Amino acid sequence: MSPNATPPVASSLIAPPLGHALPSYLQADNLGPWGIYLQQVDRVIPYLGHLARWAETLKRPKRALVVDVPIQLDNGTVAHFEGYRVQHNTSRGPGKGGVRFHQDVTLSEVMALSAWMSIKNAAVNVPYGGAKGGIRVDPKALSRGELERMTRRYTSEIGIIIGPTKDIPAPDVNTNEQVMAWMMDTYSMNQGATATGVVTGKPVDLGGSLGRRDATGRGVFTVGMEAAQHIGLDVVSARVAVQGFGNVGGVAARLFAQTGARVVAVQDHGGTIYQASGLDVPALQAHVAATGSVAGFPQAEVIANDTFWDVDCDILIPAALEQQITAANAGRIKARMIIEGANGPTTPAADDILQERGILVLPDVIANAGGVTVSYFEWVQDFSSYFWSEDEINARLVRIMKEAFSGVWQVAQDHKVSLRTATFIVACKRILHARELRGLYP
Ligand code: GLU
């Protein structure tokens, strides 16, 4: 063996991934998100050629930090929250990915979300690795002051591993521009200098980028339009059903409605509404902004939550949380195409059922990459202190999304695999090629 050659990895030396009992994840449909991710990686290993020898790199996070986040509540008592920041991979550049505040967040979920960021960032070829963070908390139960104190303490605690060239957080479920402003300020105060590039998704007046707020939804819409052309689906007469009506689902619904598509059903945490002739999306957005959910929207019929999966539609957009489309409902879905606005909404068993039924799934790791793509633009603008117009940003976003999608589409055709497997093939090759070029240290 030449001195520079890397020894093969001995499988007997490989510990099981963190927090995971070994082989059960390979069969069960009720996998946790990390188990789902591992299964997705296993599916691409046969397509990685010589890079497969590095595949174990993808199956464990590079670094995972769990932090205690104590804050004083408004009533004077002290509450402790559990926070996480996981850097799954940094072979291609700094860690990058959002921070979510949700009562169900766990370390293994954040590990999976960080890994999906590695895949997503490589799939659209932005120069980042993958990372994610979260706090296990119901932010709706906190006052604004409590939310700010929690955000600041969390940022301080993860401050040892984040930074504009190390790992760059961004918004995700239940975090927004204000939360990013607090994170940026806290990091900057600790550093003694304003560091706008430490987070993306900031307010435009604080180094944020035009177009960032709509970017994920716009990316969902862009790849949806591209895929519709490939399968001969006429979007103008299409019926669309959307789960989740926040920053992703709401924007995607608006853009599809603007092309003439009918948004017939919307589900969120407050309930499910239906209108066969098409919902008035701007009116629904105003209702949600005022009341916090789609519940009580006057110009629609209320249907049972589980009925959402039976709705007659052509395009289904899950844009809420993980593991929504499972073996239990995949057989009932009527759509021709599913565009994953959420991260991890479809289980591998559901993926197989959908593929067998000829329903095209545009996977999260390409479909919702618009957000991080404009995050990248924001970071570049912050570094150069030169800001672009919204038209320029949207044009660059659309170009990147279209190019990435057409590359993945070709790989899917060449290997006769699903678009998810094709995206993983493209992304894993990029990550592992970088990994191979860098070599093992020491
Ligand atoms: N949270 C978003 C995602 O899941 C955006 C991440 C980012 O902009 O860094 O892709």
Side-chain angles (χ1 to χ4, degrees):
M1 199 188 291
S2 83
N4 292 331
T6 323
V9 179
S11 58
S12 59
L13 296 179
I14 296 168
L18 277 181
H20 207 81
L22 248 181
S24 61
Y25 62 71
L26 292 172
Q27 290 102 33
D29 186 45
N30 59 347
L31 307 168
W34 180 249
I36 290 175
Y37 164 75
L38 291 176
Q39 196 165 338
Q40 291 166 343
V41 171
D42 280 335
R43 288 182 176 197
V44 303
I45 289 176
Y47 302 94
L48 297 180
H50 77 282
L51 292 171
R53 69 195 290 259
W54 294 102
E56 193 60 30
T57 303
L58 300 166
K59 293 190 172 189
R60 57 195 66 221
K62 173 186 173 62
R63 188 178 284 136
L65 180 64
V66 181
V67 295
D68 176 35
V69 185
I71 61 157
Q72 184 161 334
L73 298 177
D74 293 345
N75 66 12
T77 62
V78 175
H80 291 256
F81 301 100
E82 200 164 300
Y84 317 94
R85 184 73 186 171
V86 178
Q87 294 166 354
H88 172 259
N89 189 276
T90 56
S91 292
R92 301 177 65 257
K96 181 86 190 87
V99 171
R100 68 171 55 180
F101 294 166
H102 195 277
Q103 58 275 17
D104 297 331
V105 165
T106 61
L107 175 61
S108 75
E109 180 192 21
V110 177
M111 282 163 53
L113 291 164
S114 72
W116 284 323
M117 287 309 304
S118 301
I119 303 294
K120 191 186 303 187
N121 292 333
V124 287
N125 215 358
V126 292
Y128 293 132
K132 201 87 174 197
I135 305 181
R136 192 171 169 81
V137 62
D138 176 7
K140 294 184 179 72
L142 299 183
S143 70
R144 184 181 160 93
E146 290 166 341
L147 188 69
E148 176 174 352
R149 292 196 289 281
M150 184 187 72
T151 302
R152 288 186 180 280
R153 180 62 188 249
Y154 167 73
T155 308
S156 256
E157 294 296 338
I158 65 166
I160 51 173
I161 61 167
I162 64 168
T165 59
K166 290 160 84 175
D167 178 6
I168 305 110
D172 197 77
V173 174
N174 292 333
T175 53
N176 56 20
E177 292 175 9
Q178 178 59 73
V179 170
M180 294 305 116
W182 290 328
M183 290 188 76
M184 189 279 258
D185 182 69
T186 304
Y187 180 84
S188 297
M189 297 311 284
N190 288 341
Q191 293 291 312
T194 295
T196 53
V198 67
V199 291
T200 58
K202 299 179 295 295
V204 170
D205 291 335
L206 211 57
S209 178
L210 295 168
R212 176 62 185 86
R213 206 179 292 165
D214 284 1
T216 311
R218 191 173 294 281
V220 164
F221 172 72
T222 304
V223 294
M225 293 297 283
E226 290 295 295
Q229 266 181 18
H230 281 292
I231 61 169
L233 172 64
D234 179 17
V235 175
V236 175
S237 59
R239 294 154 307 170
V240 182
V242 186
Q243 186 195 42
F245 205 68
N247 203 30
V248 183
V251 172
R254 189 189 82 219
L255 294 171
F256 274 109
Q258 278 169 4
T259 65
R262 267 177 296 151
V263 177
V264 293
V266 175
Q267 175 172 89
D268 75 0
H269 58 94
T272 310
I273 59 171
Y274 179 78
Q275 174 57 264
S277 60
L279 292 155
D280 179 343
V281 174
L284 181 59
Q285 280 185 308
H287 175 84
V288 172
T291 68
S293 100
V294 301
F297 183 61
Q299 306 149 41
E301 175 188 333
V302 175
I303 59 171
N305 280 339
D306 191 53
T307 312
F308 177 77
W309 305 108
D310 302 311
V311 162
D312 257 322
C313 63
D314 305 291
I315 299 173
L316 173 66
I317 307 177
L321 292 169
E322 299 96 67
Q323 288 174 272
Q324 299 299 302
I325 304 178
T326 65
N329 58 23
R332 292 156 49 193
I333 289 170
K334 308 261 190 334
R336 284 184 65 193
M337 176 164 92
I338 296 175
I339 319 174
E340 294 185 340
N343 291 309
T346 310
T347 65
D351 254 342
D352 292 344
I353 295 169
L354 295 168
Q355 194 168 7
E356 213 159 276
R357 296 185 57 221
I359 298 174
L360 184 67
V361 178
L362 311 189
D364 48 5
V365 281
I366 187 101
N368 71 28
V372 74
T373 300
V374 176
S375 275
Y376 167 56
F377 299 160
E378 178 173 333
W379 183 73
V380 168
Q381 292 172 85
D382 287 339
F383 267 109
S384 58
S385 296
Y386 178 76
F387 291 86
W388 315 342
S389 72
E390 188 156 3
D391 283 350
E392 189 173 353
I393 285 156
N394 288 342
R396 286 180 193 248
L397 168 64
V398 167
R399 193 169 71 225
I400 287 183
M401 296 301 293
K402 282 186 177 177
E403 272 173 23
F405 184 73
S406 92
V408 163
W409 184 272
Q410 194 53 51
V411 171
Q413 303 295 308
D414 292 348
H415 292 294
K416 300 194 170 28
V417 292
S418 69
L419 287 173
R420 188 182 319 278
T421 299
T423 310
F424 267 71
I425 293 173
V426 170
C428 292
K429 280 187 173 170
R430 284 190 180 138
I431 296 166
L432 297 181
H433 181 55
R435 210 250 166 282
E436 182 179 60
L437 286 170
R438 287 179 68 155
L440 275 183
Y441 170 88

